[in-house]
Amino acid sequence: MACVFCDIVAGTVEADVVLETPSLLAFLDQRPVFEGHVLLIPRAHVPTLPDLPAELRDPFLAAAQRLARAVVAGLGAQGSFVAMNNTVSQSVPHLHLHVVPRTKGDGLRGFFWPRRRYADGERAAVAARLREALASLD
């Protein structure tokens, strides 16, 4: 199956690259939320964050930190919004992290997720299920 991000890595699709390492690539989003919206990807095809090889975790996060600092230093942003989707709402099935420059009053409203309260005892039960799942992943 064709992957536009793999094509960017291969050089067959043009992109405005802002950061290159042997294992990572960052480039401007073609449809940015704000000017300077960057996408960070592993050069190897990795579908989602859970699929990211252990040896890429630290370099990936370090590059994200550098990009978050760069949008402030280079573009005059006051901060950034850093996010990624895994499968659901993932427009390209290749791991990509968004670094979006932010300025107070920029109009970005964030996420409008419905909120709810836990029923009595429910929160502890959910936490226990997550701890159990984490333990089984170790």
Side-chain angles (χ1 to χ4, degrees), residues 1 43 112:
M1 185 180 208
R43 287 180 179 272
F112 295 104

Side-chain angles (χ1 to χ4, degrees), residues 28-29 32-38 71 74-75 77 99-102:
L28 293 181
D29 192 305
V33 174
F34 296 119
E35 181 180 289
H37 178 165
V38 177
V71 298
L75 303 177
V99 178
V100 180
R102 296 294 313 273

Side-chain angles (χ1 to χ4, degrees), residues 2-126:
C3 172
V4 68
F5 290 170
C6 288
D7 291 342
I8 289 171
V9 169
T12 58
V13 170
E14 201 172 295
D16 295 293
V17 174
V18 298
L19 176 70
E20 291 185 76
T21 75
S23 57
L24 305 170
L25 190 67
F27 50 90
L28 293 181
D29 192 305
Q30 290 185 1
R31 295 179 300 131
V33 174
F34 296 119
E35 181 180 289
H37 178 165
V38 177
L39 299 177
L40 172 64
I41 65 169
R43 287 180 179 272
H45 185 82
V46 175
T48 64
L49 182 62
D51 302 310
L52 187 67
E55 64 273 9
L56 290 181
R57 284 188 304 229
D58 286 347
F60 192 79
L61 186 55
Q65 287 176 316
R66 290 183 66 211
L67 291 165
R69 286 193 300 268
V71 298
V72 172
L75 303 177
Q78 294 173 320
S80 61
F81 173 73
V82 178
M84 71 177 78
N85 291 303
N86 288 295
T87 309
V88 176
S89 295
Q90 189 178 11
S91 58
V92 177
H94 184 128
L95 175 63
H96 56 287
L97 179 133
H98 298 259
V99 178
V100 180
R102 296 294 313 273
T103 303
K104 188 173 176 90
D106 62 17
L108 188 61
R109 299 278 187 240
F111 296 105
F112 295 104
W113 295 336
R115 301 293 179 134
R116 62 182 284 279
R117 294 195 183 277
Y118 285 104
D120 287 342
E122 186 180 27
R123 189 171 67 191
V126 170

